[in-house]
Amino acid sequence: MNTIPRDHPRYWSLMIREKIVEGFKNGVVVLQGVIAHGRGECFDYLIGEETIPQAYEAIKAAVATLLLADYPVISVNGNVATLVSREVVELSSIVGAKIEVNLFYRSRDREEAIKDLLIENGAKEVLGVGEDADRVIPEISSERRRVSSRGIYKADVVLIPLEDGDRAEALKRLGKKTIAIDLNPLSRTSRVSDITIVDNIVRAMPLMVKVAREMSGMSRDELYKIVQSYDNKRILSDVIKYIADRLVKLAEESLSNDI
Ligand code: ATP
């Protein structure tokens, strides 16, 4: 890994980028995943590279939904495994969710590499690898539609970080409740999901783990209330307004700035 000086103004962003590059070199991340990361970085810049209140509200609703679920599953692709394997495993154990490898660009080597990374980080079971991906999601082409009958196929709630729009839509058609983590509030995945956490996964997942620990003692009634008062359309609309207001403020500031 390249060494980034700690005092670099964009230290964290560059460290995350290095992790993606490392994932690419280890066969966990594909080239398309590198590009997707760049798109995410752009939206992260727009929200100010911090967890905004709307994301926090979505995280609470997401955790409540996962805690109430009968059969929750966390879907993991290469970028997710590279960036937050440990948190995926922690969250899965707090909310009782299965972990499934779910790839847009499937290859046996990559499935195994992602599984190994999750196991190194404490996972006891990883679904969706090789023959375990034994079912198909209708209406999606090729390898992208394979899922596990013990995992996503059976799930009532699926956490889909960094998912593509086609598959997010197909999961909805299958009747799944979906929770997206996606920095782009305009993506199809963001718009079709029941709950959308517009935040960088490197901030959102550790926060979800913390919130899950705090909320795991709540009654089902309390959890239902949180879920019922949540409105994803309003959250997405508020995120877009947040970005717009922030940009107007920055534009005004830039007039009085010498930089
Ligand atoms: P869609 O098909 O949903 O309309 P898309 O074509 O942009 O959107 P992909 O490129 O397949 O979908 O998915 C990547 C998504 O993940 C992008 O919306 C990107 O903003 C988001 N993303 C990338 N990196 C991160 C990250 N670290 N944290 C959160 N979101 C991220």
Side-chain angles (χ1 to χ4, degrees):
M1 218 197 254
N2 283 337
T3 322
I4 317 278
R6 268 246 166 213
D7 58 353
H8 192 290
R10 306 206 43 72
Y11 176 78
W12 284 112
S13 177
L14 293 176
M15 281 299 288
I16 298 163
R17 199 179 274 187
E18 283 300 317
K19 270 193 162 188
I20 291 285
V21 171
E22 192 184 85
F24 178 69
K25 287 182 184 157
N26 295 339
V28 169
V29 171
V30 280
L31 197 49
Q32 291 83 350
V34 179
I35 296 168
H37 184 76
R39 183 170 349 206
E41 280 185 344
C42 174
F43 282 99
D44 209 9
Y45 230 105
L46 297 179
I47 61 169
E49 294 177 309
E50 60 180 4
T51 302
I52 63 176
Q54 294 80 1
Y56 190 61
E57 198 178 330
I59 283 174
K60 282 194 286 184
V63 168
T65 302
L66 287 166
L67 286 167
L68 286 169
D70 291 327
Y71 203 88
V73 173
I74 305 176
S75 167
V76 177
N77 63 24
N79 288 36
V80 175
T82 294
L83 295 176
V84 288
S85 270
R86 190 167 51 86
E87 288 82 359
V88 165
V89 175
E90 281 174 0
L91 183 66
S92 79
S93 85
I94 301 168
V95 303
K98 299 278 181 196
I99 301 174
E100 176 163 344
V101 176
N102 188 22
L103 303 179
F104 196 107
Y105 301 96
R106 258 185 198 279
S107 77
R108 189 61 196 253
D109 284 351
R110 200 152 87 88
E111 288 171 0
E112 295 287 353
I114 292 171
K115 180 179 176 179
D116 290 349
L117 198 50
L118 288 161
I119 288 184
E120 266 169 42
N121 281 280
K124 304 254 174 334
E125 183 186 39
V126 178
L127 305 175
V129 176
E131 285 70 48
D132 187 65
D134 55 352
R135 291 292 176 105
V136 293
I137 309 175
E139 299 168 56
I140 324 185
S141 58
S142 73
E143 292 300 287
R144 294 157 55 196
R145 61 183 181 167
R146 285 174 49 201
V147 289
S148 169
S149 56
R150 300 188 296 139
I152 290 174
Y153 195 78
K154 186 174 166 188
D156 56 343
V157 174
V158 192
L159 175 61
I160 46 169
L162 284 51
E163 182 59 281
D164 99 287
D166 279 358
R167 241 183 351 208
E169 280 175 355
L171 288 176
K172 283 310 302 165
R173 281 196 297 273
L174 277 183
K176 312 291 178 193
K177 199 159 196 187
T178 55
I179 301 167
I181 304 176
D182 192 330
L183 275 161
N184 179 0
L186 304 168
S187 75
R188 274 182 306 153
T189 301
S190 287
R191 284 184 283 125
V192 299
S193 296
D194 295 283
I195 298 173
T196 305
I197 301 164
V198 181
D199 198 11
N200 197 318
I201 193 169
V202 301
R203 293 189 300 269
M205 280 299 288
L207 195 51
M208 282 181 90
V209 170
K210 182 171 173 280
V211 170
R213 284 210 179 95
E214 289 163 5
M215 286 172 62
S216 60
M218 282 185 175
S219 69
R220 289 183 75 82
D221 271 0
E222 285 173 294
L223 296 172
Y224 270 123
K225 275 191 197 128
I226 294 172
V227 175
Q228 269 163 359
S229 65
Y230 182 82
D231 177 350
N232 207 45
K233 283 208 170 83
R234 177 182 61 78
I235 285 290
L236 287 178
S237 166
D238 285 352
V239 170
I240 296 165
K241 284 186 201 145
Y242 181 97
I243 292 173
D245 291 347
R246 187 167 178 273
L247 291 181
V248 169
K249 202 164 151 253
L250 287 174
E252 282 160 2
E253 278 170 16
S254 75
L255 286 176
S256 54
N257 224 327
D258 292 337
I259 317 169

